[in-house]
Amino acid sequence: MSRYRAWFAAQDDPDERYPLTDVVYYSRSGGLLEVQHDMAALGERSAEEWKQLFDSRWMRTTWPYGSGVWGKKEWVCPEVDDANVVSTFEGGSNLFWAERFGREIGVEDLWIKMCGNAHTGSFKDLGMTVLVSVVKQMISEGRPIRAIACASTGDTSAALAAYGALAGIPTIVFLPKGKVSLAQLVQPVAHGATVLALDGDFDACMRVVRAVTSNPDSGIYLANSLNSLRVEGQKTVGIEIVQQFDWAVPDWIVIPGGNLGNTFALGKGLLMMYDLGLISRLPRIVCAQAERANPLYRAFQNGWRYEPIKAETTAASAIQIGDPVSINRAISTLKRFDGIVEQASEQELADAAARADRTGAYACPHTGVALAATIKLVERGVIARGDRVVVISTAHGLKFSRFKVDYHENSLPGVTSRYANPPVELPADVDAVRRVLAQRMGE
Ligand SMILES: *Cc1c(COP(=O)(O)O)cnc(C)c1O
């Protein structure tokens, strides 16, 4: 038995508590539940001891601690049996110095956290490993769960389907028809999920899945991020970034935001480090939104007064959300971290991704949103030239090949591709090839 404990608590009444293995998503007053940890027990170990423990496990093979998430098990979900952990050794993604790109945009200490280098190609694996592990634990304790379901803009369903398949638990995913990339659609299909493509947007899928899972007797467990178990895994991203800098805190962390669970999760992990003394200051957080799906940006401009909007089509399809589930807790996080919300147009996000690719990254459109926001904040002098900046790359560029191809064919709607690099089509003729090469190299 672990000496550490965690439980669900109502946001508005910390005394309203439930075990993490209960099928419960809302408090009695209808608010979201948070996972709380026994901080007094965690505080019995010194900051130095925690750092040493986490470093000793980092990327090793001892099950399940080599996972970036489960290497911090005491802080994440202490009471799951190791035998019930469902893991692909997620986390531990590379943090790379974007040297050339940073120099180009005027901030030399620029880093990209490559969360898309993950089993299912996005950072959603970080949270899904926790949720599916808890479900496996629940089933092993005899709870009648028959399936796990989620609404998704693509990456959540890919992660749920993969982790469900690993555990042998059936999964059901609700996708907005025609609004996810081909790679994202084929992932749950391949993993054997029941894939329901609904005629509507993400917000509509969310309403349907909430209704389907609202009765605990349905035996269908809800995996969306309003289920705070996922936050516990997602929050390790900020802890990892600091750990990868040998426990030094960067000045800025930039993250793209849609449903905003991840903005909250990033802050939660950092605050835990702060409260347990592993760090003594906090970075500033920038949440980056697509201009066409920007309810948080509007709220930021408007003294944090929020109103849901109807999200319009954006290449950053995973964040095409008009009524984010975690709006309130994301706003609290941004206030605590002296945060900023910036937005990026289709032109800006596509060009930013293309420029990053030219310097060796391979940015998905959401990462493009975060990079474009970074460029704007550097240009405005908000981010200073000497600041250390980390951009969280949320998905692998290879999941968005259509976006890349369309950009380089100059056919993305509303975008003039300033960095297009289409292939040159030629006859298989040496002289023709020499002429083109002479032109290209001569310049
Ligand atoms: C889910 C997702 C996001 C946004 O995370 P939220 O918690 O919904 O704000 C950003 N990028 C990608 C690729 C995602 O899959």
Side-chain angles (χ1 to χ4, degrees):
M1 274 304 261
S2 170
R3 47 199 263 246
Y4 303 105
R5 297 268 172 280
W7 56 85
F8 284 126
Q11 272 178 325
D12 43 9
D13 177 9
D15 291 331
E16 185 187 338
R17 294 182 177 184
Y18 306 91
L20 296 184
T21 47
D22 270 14
V23 180
V24 53
Y25 315 112
Y26 302 102
S27 67
R28 280 192 288 272
S29 68
L32 295 183
L33 298 169
E34 301 290 344
V35 175
Q36 272 181 2
H37 291 264
D38 181 347
M39 294 296 281
L42 292 171
E44 283 165 18
R45 222 184 262 230
S46 73
E48 224 28 66
E49 285 170 319
W50 281 121
K51 290 180 189 176
Q52 276 171 20
L53 181 69
F54 294 161
D55 281 340
S56 73
R57 292 169 172 171
W58 181 252
M59 310 295 281
R60 308 301 291 253
T61 47
T62 312
W63 179 266
Y65 300 104
S67 151
V69 173
W70 295 103
K72 297 166 179 82
K73 187 176 181 214
E74 296 84 353
W75 290 30
V76 168
C77 198
E79 288 164 280
V80 166
D81 294 339
D82 287 352
N84 285 326
V85 169
V86 183
S87 168
T88 62
F89 272 39
E90 49 291 305
S93 59
N94 44 320
L95 174 65
F96 89 78
W97 184 28
E99 183 184 6
R100 286 188 57 218
F101 187 68
R103 216 183 297 132
E104 226 181 270
I105 69 168
V107 53
E108 296 205 4
D109 206 358
L110 176 67
W111 300 73
I112 304 182
K113 174 66 170 162
M114 300 298 290
C115 295
N117 293 354
H119 186 62
T120 72
S122 92
F123 73 161
K124 297 294 198 291
D125 290 3
L126 298 174
M128 205 53 82
T129 181
V130 177
L131 183 135
V132 175
S133 298
V134 171
V135 172
K136 194 168 171 197
Q137 175 93 15
M138 291 158 85
I139 292 172
S140 78
E141 290 170 3
R143 280 182 200 267
I145 293 179
R146 294 181 297 144
I148 314 176
C150 74
S152 172
T153 54
D155 291 324
T156 298
S157 52
L160 174 60
Y163 282 84
L166 277 164
I169 302 169
T171 57
I172 307 165
V173 308
F174 295 78
L175 296 169
K177 194 163 131 194
K179 295 192 178 73
V180 307
S181 80
L182 184 64
Q184 291 171 323
L185 174 64
V186 79
Q187 286 178 292
V189 167
H191 290 304
T194 298
V195 179
L196 304 173
L198 304 193
D199 235 336
D201 58 8
F202 169 80
D203 298 291
C205 292
M206 195 63 229
R207 280 192 296 279
V208 173
V209 78
R210 279 191 198 207
V212 170
T213 54
S214 63
N215 180 351
D217 297 332
S218 69
I220 304 176
Y221 189 74
L222 176 62
N224 276 95
S225 63
L226 65 88
N227 185 326
S228 293
L229 290 172
R230 280 178 49 206
V231 167
E232 293 311 293
Q234 298 290 151
K235 81 181 179 197
T236 59
V237 67
I239 305 173
E240 274 194 11
I241 289 169
V242 174
Q243 184 177 11
Q244 285 172 303
F245 284 127
D246 282 329
W247 307 101
V249 180
D251 298 302
W252 298 89
I253 299 179
V254 187
I255 185 170
N259 226 1
L260 302 177
N262 280 291
T263 301
F264 168 67
L266 170 65
K268 186 171 186 191
L270 292 163
L271 283 175
M272 239 174 133
M273 298 182 86
Y274 187 79
D275 291 343
L276 291 168
L278 281 73
I279 57 175
S280 54
R281 70 182 184 100
L282 298 175
R284 292 183 71 184
I285 292 178
V286 178
C287 181
Q289 290 211 298
E291 194 176 296
R292 296 172 66 85
N294 64 353
L296 182 69
Y297 177 78
R298 291 175 193 224
F300 176 66
Q301 295 293 327
N302 206 8
W304 291 121
R305 268 193 310 280
Y306 165 73
E307 274 189 49
I309 61 165
K310 173 120 183 91
E312 291 175 79
T313 303
T314 166
S317 49
I319 55 175
Q320 189 179 318
I321 293 173
D323 190 9
V325 164
S326 293
I327 182 73
N328 292 327
R329 52 190 187 176
I331 290 176
S332 311
T333 297
L334 288 166
K335 287 182 179 164
R336 182 76 176 79
F337 284 79
D338 196 7
I340 292 179
V341 187
E342 187 49 83
Q343 64 175 1
S345 66
E346 297 303 293
Q347 181 73 49
E348 289 164 340
L349 75 89
D351 281 340
R355 287 175 74 185
D357 292 358
R358 286 282 184 110
T359 61
Y362 198 60
C364 77
H366 323 87
T367 306
V369 170
L371 293 169
T374 305
I375 293 171
K376 291 166 99 166
L377 292 170
V378 172
E379 280 172 355
R380 287 214 305 272
V382 177
I383 294 178
R385 294 193 152 262
D387 286 351
R388 171 171 282 182
V389 182
V390 180
V391 171
I392 295 181
S393 175
T394 49
H396 202 296
L398 286 172
K399 289 184 96 167
F400 297 88
S401 295
R402 189 74 256 165
F403 163 73
K404 299 279 185 203
V405 171
D406 287 352
Y407 183 86
H408 289 287
E409 288 178 347
N410 206 2
S411 62
L412 270 184
V415 174
T416 306
S417 307
R418 287 161 53 208
Y419 303 89
N421 180 35
V424 183
E425 293 183 8
L426 286 177
D429 174 75
V430 175
D431 286 336
V433 168
R434 285 209 172 107
R435 269 196 302 279
V436 171
L437 291 184
Q439 258 171 24
R440 289 268 172 134
M441 323 275 265
E443 284 164 8

